[in-house]
Amino acid sequence: MNVPDGWKKQLDGEIAKPYFAELVQFVNDERKHHIIHPADGDVFAALAATPFQKTRVLLLGQDPYHGEDQAHGLSFSVRDGVPFPRSLRNIFKELQADQGCEMPKSGCLLPWARQGVLLLNAVLTVRTGEANSHKAKGWETFTDAIIRVLNEEKAAMVFLLWGGYAFKKAELIDSQKHRIIRMAHPSPLSASRGFFGSKPFSKTNNALKELEQQPIDWCLS
């Protein structure tokens, strides 16, 4: 697991800390005894797809999909040909309602990442079939460091926080400097309680315009 070049300057100090070596060892040991998602080469896929200098929006997830062939290192995203998880299907329903986009044929969100949307999970690995199995092993410390770097070193960007877990990260963000957009999580348990109809995509684009930045083209079809 190597941090991509586009983030090395910002994260070299973090990966030199003792906890990070322990975290890497933990994940390597887990791979010897369990099926771990995503694959080793995809753990930092979000950072590779959206370098620090290009990051304009952070969309924070909790931990990777734990089903077979689902996780590939970008929060909420799946590769071409993989059936949409329920949360992603709800995201696409709201995308249709908010932006008028057609239902995508692919659940791969790389087009968003390439426009500057950092699709980061708080925890970057998981055992197959065991949600949150790598919680509190060190990943949260690492991804909190990413949020802090963005908060401190970016002039202004948009933090898109879905659900109670993500809301807690707002304490790491200077709301006078950046835009924070909060809404319910798109999971089946909470989508009908505030995600549907929340217009996250148009709200993000309006915030970007206020910051004199180009909006995101959210349509994927």
Side-chain angles (χ1 to χ4, degrees):
M1 298 189 297
N2 294 315
V3 173
D5 289 343
W7 284 86
K8 275 193 172 297
K9 178 182 176 183
Q10 288 72 30
L11 297 176
D12 266 355
E14 197 66 23
I15 63 177
K17 294 178 180 178
Y19 87 87
F20 191 80
E22 294 171 5
L23 172 62
V24 171
Q25 187 61 54
F26 165 76
V27 175
N28 289 342
D29 289 345
E30 283 279 284
R31 291 193 189 278
K32 294 174 184 176
H33 304 287
H34 306 277
I35 297 172
I36 303 300
H37 306 299
D40 187 72
D42 289 330
V43 171
F44 295 130
L47 301 180
T50 313
F52 173 80
Q53 294 297 339
K54 293 186 177 180
T55 299
R56 303 187 289 136
V57 178
L58 172 67
L59 176 52
L60 186 69
Q62 190 162 351
D63 73 333
Y65 294 128
H66 54 83
E68 185 177 357
D69 296 327
Q70 290 182 319
H72 69 123
L74 307 179
S75 62
F76 299 105
S77 179
V78 294
R79 283 196 171 92
D80 292 348
V82 176
F84 302 162
R86 289 179 294 173
S87 291
L88 183 59
R89 185 167 293 280
N90 288 340
I91 289 169
F92 288 160
K93 286 179 181 178
E94 181 60 21
L95 180 64
Q96 282 184 298
D98 183 8
Q99 296 285 293
C101 303
E102 295 180 10
M103 178 63 72
K105 293 181 174 62
S106 169
C108 182
L109 303 182
L110 265 173
W112 295 357
R114 289 170 178 153
Q115 294 178 75
V117 182
L118 179 61
L119 298 166
L120 184 71
N121 281 314
V123 175
L124 299 187
T125 55
V126 67
R127 284 186 191 176
T128 192
E130 298 183 42
N132 292 318
S133 50
H134 285 184
K135 179 182 178 182
K137 303 298 184 182
W139 279 127
E140 295 93 336
T141 302
F142 179 70
T143 54
D144 280 0
I146 293 173
I147 296 171
R148 287 191 178 96
V149 164
L150 291 168
N151 175 62
E152 292 166 8
E153 298 190 21
K154 285 287 182 179
M157 57 175 285
V158 180
F159 291 84
L160 190 52
L161 306 180
W162 288 348
Y165 181 87
F167 292 174
K168 296 174 184 176
K169 304 300 181 180
E171 65 186 26
L172 305 176
I173 304 162
D174 181 352
S175 61
Q176 300 300 311
K177 179 180 178 183
H178 304 288
R179 302 292 190 274
I180 302 174
I181 300 174
R182 299 175 178 87
M183 53 204 48
H185 195 276
S187 73
L189 293 174
S190 57
S192 61
R193 298 184 216 156
F195 181 74
F196 290 139
S198 62
K199 300 185 180 297
F201 309 103
S202 57
K203 286 179 180 176
T204 299
N205 279 350
N206 288 339
L208 287 169
K209 290 175 185 175
E210 289 175 7
L211 298 173
E212 300 183 344
Q213 297 185 34
Q214 287 296 313
I216 304 295
D217 179 3
W218 296 103
C219 293
L220 295 165
S221 56

